[in-house]
Amino acid sequence: MIKLLGIFGYPIKHSLSPYMHNAVCHELSLPYFYVPFQVAPEKLGQAVDSIRTLGIQGINITIPHKESVMQYLDKISHEAKLIGAVNTIKNENGKLIGYNTDGRGFVASIKEDFDVMPKGKSFIILGAGGAARAIAIQLAIEGCSKIIIANRSLSKAKNIAENINANVPSCIAEAVELNSSILVSGADMLINTTSIGMKKEDQSIVDPELLSAIPMVSDIIYNPPDTPLLKEARKRNAQAANGINMLVFQGAIAFEIWTGVTPPIKTMRSALDNELKKLDKI
Ligand code: ATR
């Protein structure tokens, strides 16, 4: 019998996740089908109930529901609790368990892209939204020594830094404003989690001179694949990578949570590359 997987978001039409997951099910002949569901915010409770009613096996949660969905679940993983957001739900015989695979997906992506693990490393994170939160907390859980969170609104950066300092004391977290001079002191890796770099007219989010003190630069944007930040980083001989592998690995980890099967990363990646190529031509 075919079992259902899917994603709840609003809007949902741009999601690439269905292509990535269905490619794996097809390749491995697994009896699952992944469907995108457009769920308006005021209908989220009903939609979560339908996971139980219809026996849907697993659901991804995306913008704007990652935080609000938590109130409807039966259990929430340690990571997701710390992050304060859920992007993956597993239906275990009618009990809904919430996970967050965004942070773990990011850590797996830097292992792949830079061959680096967080332990003992220092990071500068630009932005303090949901993605920054998941990444910062996962880096801290996995043993990084220092995180500077730089954001336009200082209070949101402070909130993440305080959360880390209170819950993961082995990591020192500090909040600064986006254009703070502290950033000049550098770090092992700089990570952009803001949307600056998505639009054609955008320039590098930080002064390119700053990048001389940073050997690795990651931008979680994947469309366009090469943001001005990544171009400037490469000019200064830094290693640079975009967010496509974070998308792949957060999906791969979710797939494994739902099905117990480790999916072939290559298949997920090429399904995404195909879809991104099509978007390019539109
Ligand atoms: P996500 O879930 O992808 O992290 P988000 O929660 O909306 O998205 O967070 C977006 C981040 O990008 C925020 O840190 C936001 O800064 P503010 O907290 O000050 O709003 C940042 N951001 C978005 N547009 C920006 C801009 N033009 N300049 C600086 N920062 C920007």
Side-chain angles (χ1 to χ4, degrees):
M1 192 175 89
I2 288 185
K3 289 175 256 181
L4 220 51
L5 303 171
I7 181 165
F8 292 173
Y10 191 81
I12 198 62
K13 66 172 184 240
H14 299 297
S15 174
L16 298 176
S17 293
Y19 301 100
M20 178 165 79
H21 290 284
N22 285 327
V24 171
C25 298
H26 182 73
E27 168 113 351
L28 301 183
S29 302
L30 294 172
Y32 292 92
F33 198 71
Y34 187 109
V35 184
F37 295 102
Q38 170 130 312
V39 175
E42 68 276 13
K43 296 286 170 65
L44 182 61
Q46 284 178 34
V48 173
D49 253 349
S50 74
I51 302 175
R52 298 185 183 95
T53 312
L54 303 175
I56 297 172
Q57 202 67 31
I59 283 284
N60 276 138
I61 299 291
T62 188
I63 289 165
H65 303 314
K66 288 186 184 184
E67 283 136 35
S68 47
V69 78
M70 295 174 81
Q71 61 185 307
Y72 303 114
L73 305 180
D74 298 302
K75 204 174 140 192
I76 289 166
S77 77
H78 173 66
E79 283 154 349
K81 258 189 217 155
L82 274 185
I83 293 165
V86 158
N87 80 330
T88 299
I89 297 172
K90 183 179 188 193
N91 182 353
E92 281 186 10
N93 304 315
K95 289 257 173 296
L96 302 186
I97 325 287
Y99 298 87
N100 192 310
T101 68
D102 287 332
R104 280 165 65 196
F106 178 78
V107 170
S109 80
I110 61 171
K111 173 87 182 72
E112 172 83 14
D113 292 330
F114 301 96
D115 196 20
V116 75
M117 299 293 273
K119 200 164 176 54
K121 297 283 187 300
S122 60
F123 295 85
I124 295 172
I125 298 179
L126 308 178
R133 204 175 175 86
I135 290 170
I137 286 172
Q138 195 64 34
L139 290 172
I141 290 174
E142 299 206 21
C144 80
S145 57
K146 187 171 179 189
I147 303 178
I148 295 175
I149 300 149
N151 196 42
R152 182 174 59 179
S153 336
L154 184 60
S155 62
K156 277 162 78 180
K158 274 190 173 153
N159 188 288
I160 301 178
E162 280 163 13
N163 184 353
I164 290 172
N165 290 329
N167 292 297
V168 196
S170 53
C171 171
I172 297 165
E174 196 177 337
V176 299
E177 276 176 18
L178 195 54
N179 48 14
S180 160
S181 58
I182 290 178
L183 300 182
V184 181
S185 57
D188 292 309
M189 185 183 294
L190 177 134
I191 306 159
N192 175 46
T193 72
T194 75
S195 48
I196 299 175
M198 279 179 163
K199 294 194 200 120
K200 274 213 173 81
E201 63 273 21
D202 282 347
Q203 296 187 344
S204 172
I205 177 164
V206 288
D207 178 356
E209 289 308 314
L210 206 85
L211 299 172
S212 316
I214 299 172
M216 292 177 275
V217 176
S218 161
D219 197 328
I220 69 164
I221 294 170
Y222 53 83
N223 190 19
D226 239 353
T227 59
L229 172 71
L230 293 179
K231 284 182 186 146
E232 293 291 349
R234 276 198 207 95
K235 270 193 220 161
R236 285 161 182 79
N237 295 322
Q239 281 180 276
N242 69 21
I244 193 79
N245 277 332
M246 177 180 174
L247 179 62
V248 170
F249 283 104
Q250 66 73 33
I253 297 164
F255 193 88
E256 189 159 351
I257 288 172
W258 297 323
T259 66
V261 175
T262 307
I265 296 299
K266 253 190 172 169
T267 304
M268 298 185 107
R269 177 66 200 257
S270 62
L272 285 180
D273 287 342
N274 269 340
E275 291 310 308
L276 285 167
K277 254 185 239 150
K278 285 186 208 162
L279 291 179
D280 235 17
K281 286 182 190 137
I282 291 167

